[in-house]
Amino acid sequence: MEVQNTHKNAVSELGFSSIPGVYSNDEVDAIIQLITKTDTTRDTFRKSKELFAIRQFLKEIPNINELVFNENLQNIIRNYFGEDYFVVKSIYFDKPETSNWYVAYHQDLTISVDQKIEINDFGPWTVKQNQFAVQPPLSILENIFTVRIHLDDTDENNGALKVIEKSHAKGIYRPETIDWNTETEAICSVPKGGIMIMKPLLLHGSNRTTNHKKRRVIHIEFSNITLPEGLNWSERIN
C-alpha cells in the first residue's frame, strides 16, 4: 500500500510516475504479435519510415483489449483512480530504429468527441481521420489521466519522455514561456513491460534517439466526466 500511495502522490504532485513490471515479457510479445498481424490500410493507421501510429487503437484492434487490460493494469486503475474511470482515447506509437523524431515540449490539450457542437468554452476544433477533436475547459483536462504502456526499454538514449515536473498544475502553460531558472526537467525511463502514468497538462517532449533502438508505446487516456449538451467521447470504452 505504501508503494501504491507513493506513485499516486507522485502523479498528483509531480504530474507523473513510472511503474515497472505491469506486463510480463510474454504479455508484451503477445501484444506486439497481434499488432503486427493487423491490416494497416485503414484511415486510422499512419505508416512511414519515421513513424507507425494507430489512432483509436483499442477500437481498431478489439482483440487487443484483453491483453492490454491485464489484472495488473485493472488493479492500478481501480486503486489509483477509482471504479468509474473509462477510456476516452487510445493511440499506438511505433518509432522505428531508423526514426529520429524530435518532439518539442507541449501539453495534450484536445479530446476526441463524436460531433462538432458549438458549446461555450469548447474550442478550437480540428478534424483528423474523420475524428473531431476539441480543446475543452480546463476542468475536463485536469480530470484526465494518461497511461503509457512501454513495449520496449525506453531511456534517454531512445526517446524517453522528458517532462517539466509540476507543470500540470499551472493550467495552460505555453512552452515558449518556460523559465528554466525555476523549472526542473526529468527524463522518464521506463523498462519493457512498465507503464508511465501522467497528467495530460504535464509539459512533455522527447529527444532524438542516439542508440537506434525501437520505442513502441500504447497511449491510453481515461476520464470519469460526462460531457455537456449532447457531446460524447468518441472513443469511450467502459
Side-chain angles (χ1 to χ4, degrees):
M1 181 64 72
E2 184 177 343
V3 172
Q4 189 179 101
N5 286 337
T6 297
H7 288 296
K8 190 172 183 178
N9 290 339
V11 174
S12 176
E13 295 172 14
L14 300 177
F16 68 98
S17 187
S18 298
I19 306 175
V22 177
Y23 299 86
S24 68
N25 284 338
D26 287 344
E27 287 176 316
V28 171
D29 292 344
I31 291 171
I32 293 171
Q33 186 175 28
L34 190 51
I35 294 170
T36 302
K37 292 179 178 179
T38 301
D39 175 14
T40 61
T41 60
R42 297 192 291 277
D43 289 343
T44 49
F45 290 69
R46 177 182 174 189
K47 195 166 188 178
S48 69
K49 289 194 304 181
E50 294 292 325
L51 176 71
F52 174 37
I54 306 172
R55 293 186 177 276
Q56 304 180 42
F57 173 70
L58 295 175
K59 285 190 172 183
E60 289 290 354
I61 312 179
N63 293 334
I64 206 85
N65 290 15
E66 185 176 344
L67 296 175
V68 168
F69 291 99
N70 69 359
E71 185 175 350
N72 286 339
L73 185 62
Q74 290 187 54
N75 286 336
I76 288 169
I77 294 167
R78 185 180 305 113
N79 294 330
Y80 281 54
F81 304 101
E83 298 278 358
D84 58 343
Y85 272 79
F86 46 84
V87 174
V88 296
K89 183 185 291 185
S90 60
I91 310 172
Y92 169 73
F93 295 105
D94 176 358
K95 294 182 179 179
E97 303 93 317
T98 56
S99 172
N100 221 359
W101 269 38
Y102 168 84
V103 180
Y105 269 112
H106 65 284
Q107 296 172 301
D108 294 335
L109 296 177
T110 63
I111 60 173
S112 298
V113 294
D114 63 336
Q115 59 185 314
K116 183 176 180 179
I117 304 176
E118 296 300 333
I119 303 175
N120 289 341
D121 299 324
F122 279 75
W125 290 80
T126 59
V127 180
K128 291 182 179 179
Q129 283 97 25
N130 298 316
Q131 171 74 73
F132 291 102
V134 64
Q135 183 172 325
L138 192 61
S139 59
I140 293 177
L141 293 172
E142 289 173 336
N143 169 265
I144 294 170
F145 73 88
T146 299
V147 171
R148 291 171 56 90
I149 302 165
H150 284 249
L151 306 182
D152 300 288
D153 292 326
T154 309
D155 58 25
E156 69 275 10
N157 298 310
N158 68 327
L161 279 192
K162 55 182 183 178
V163 303
I164 305 297
E165 294 181 351
K166 303 182 180 180
S167 55
H168 69 297
K170 298 183 179 182
I172 306 301
Y173 192 164
R174 300 300 177 191
E176 62 271 17
T177 67
I178 296 173
D179 182 355
W180 290 109
N181 293 315
T182 60
E183 301 292 15
T184 301
E185 181 180 86
I187 302 295
C188 302
S189 298
V190 184
K192 176 182 176 179
I195 68 171
M196 177 184 175
I197 303 173
M198 61 176 282
K199 301 297 289 181
L201 288 173
L202 184 73
L203 276 167
H204 58 284
S206 62
N207 291 329
R208 294 179 174 87
T209 179
T210 58
N211 64 4
H212 304 294
K213 291 185 177 180
K214 293 179 75 69
R215 53 266 202 229
R216 290 165 290 188
V217 174
I218 299 169
H219 170 115
I220 307 175
E221 296 177 15
F222 298 81
S223 177
N224 65 351
I225 286 180
T226 299
L227 298 176
E229 298 186 35
L231 196 63
N232 295 299
W233 303 95
S234 64
E235 297 182 49
R236 175 169 178 163
I237 300 175
N238 293 324

